[in-house]
Amino acid sequence: MAALSGLASALESYRGRDRLIRTLGYCCQLVGGVLVERCPARSEVGTRLLTLSSQLSHCRTVLRLFDDVAMFIYTKQYGLGAEEDDIFVRCVSVLGNLADQLYYPCEHIAWAADAQILRVDSARWWTLSTAFWGLSLLLGIARSLRMVLTLRRRLRGPAVAFTSRLPRSKRRAMEAQVRSEVLTLLSNVADLANAVHWLPPGVLWAGRFPPWLVGLLGTISSLLSVYQAGRAEATTP
């Protein structure tokens, strides 16, 4: 009952529903891709799962039509990152917010073109939105790497050689932040691999991933996101 109650609570929020739809969609793509490629007798089931995955992805695209305002408010509140002590973290965070802000209208135009609402080349706008997504992920990876290295240096530095100088609660908080940044880093790396795959052919490994590999990477990223969200809720007073 506790697990069911937690699931119901998560589904009440937009972010919770999005995580569930994302995880389910990539899991369907993973299983469907494996069945189509490795199990000819189950290829029909695999094809249906791939179709379900595509529809879930389309569902998320439609829901993101309403994300622009929330992203704009977050970007405005963050501003130039005056609260950040590290100038590198500040710069990559500001650039990442800008990339995220530009991603949404590009995706909206691509969706509208596919739905024949706008008469433009949807492929060009899908490529542009994917490029902004990939840039945001790359900046997020750089930020997480910097945060992990900085926090580990502080934990191992001479100033904390004597544990009495660093309160236990603060040390635990820093260690928890390191673990969180590592998980974010792994999630972004998995998503970046897929983002490159969806770019036009000729860009690195674009177009070379089979459906099951795209599903595997997306599932890993989604499960890490769900785990982090669950941990955040568990530690919230």
Side-chain angles (χ1 to χ4, degrees):
M1 287 297 294
L4 188 60
S5 176
L7 177 61
S9 177
L11 290 175
E12 288 179 354
S13 69
Y14 168 72
R15 294 301 173 192
R17 286 193 298 271
D18 183 68
R19 290 189 193 99
L20 177 64
I21 296 172
R22 188 182 200 270
T23 303
L24 182 59
Y26 277 121
C27 285
C28 288
Q29 187 168 7
L30 170 59
V31 177
V34 170
L35 291 178
V36 169
E37 186 171 325
R38 304 291 182 180
C39 307
R42 299 290 184 89
S43 61
E44 184 179 351
V45 176
T47 301
R48 291 179 180 179
L49 287 174
L50 291 176
T51 300
L52 176 57
S53 173
S54 176
Q55 290 301 313
L56 290 173
S57 177
H58 180 71
C59 172
R60 294 183 65 230
T61 299
V62 173
L63 290 175
R64 281 195 296 269
L65 291 172
F66 308 96
D67 281 358
D68 300 72
V69 175
M71 186 65 221
F72 176 76
I73 292 174
Y74 173 80
T75 301
K76 184 178 179 181
Q77 289 176 344
Y78 187 85
L80 296 178
E83 296 181 359
E84 299 285 359
D85 296 330
D86 192 325
I87 186 64
F88 179 82
V89 171
R90 183 186 306 177
C91 290
V92 296
S93 296
V94 170
L95 291 174
N97 290 341
L98 180 61
D100 288 336
Q101 194 70 64
L102 294 173
Y103 160 80
Y104 288 109
C106 292
E107 185 187 57
H108 301 340
I109 294 172
W111 168 82
D114 281 347
Q116 298 183 347
I117 298 172
L118 296 177
R119 294 184 178 180
V120 296
D121 181 12
S122 66
R124 180 179 301 176
W125 288 99
W126 282 121
T127 298
L128 194 56
S129 67
T130 302
F132 279 127
W133 181 42
L135 176 59
S136 174
L137 292 169
L138 192 60
L139 292 168
I141 290 170
R143 182 188 186 281
S144 292
L145 279 173
R146 179 74 169 198
M147 292 293 294
V148 169
L149 293 175
T150 300
L151 289 168
R152 285 185 173 177
R153 187 162 54 245
R154 290 177 182 175
L155 285 169
R156 297 175 182 176
V160 294
F162 302 100
T163 55
S164 59
R165 294 186 179 182
L166 186 66
R168 182 176 298 179
S169 59
K170 185 175 181 180
R171 186 180 188 88
R172 287 179 177 176
M174 291 174 67
E175 291 172 346
Q177 189 177 357
V178 170
R179 290 192 295 269
S180 176
E181 292 293 346
V182 169
L183 293 178
T184 300
L185 173 64
L186 294 175
S187 177
N188 284 343
V189 168
D191 281 337
L192 181 61
N194 275 342
V196 173
H197 164 72
W198 284 316
L199 288 173
V203 180
L204 298 176
W205 55 85
R208 299 182 184 180
F209 286 176
W212 68 265
L213 182 54
V214 174
L216 175 62
L217 292 169
T219 300
I220 291 172
S221 171
S222 299
L223 291 177
L224 288 173
S225 177
V226 170
Y227 173 77
Q228 285 184 281
R231 291 279 296 179
E233 291 180 4
T235 56
T236 300

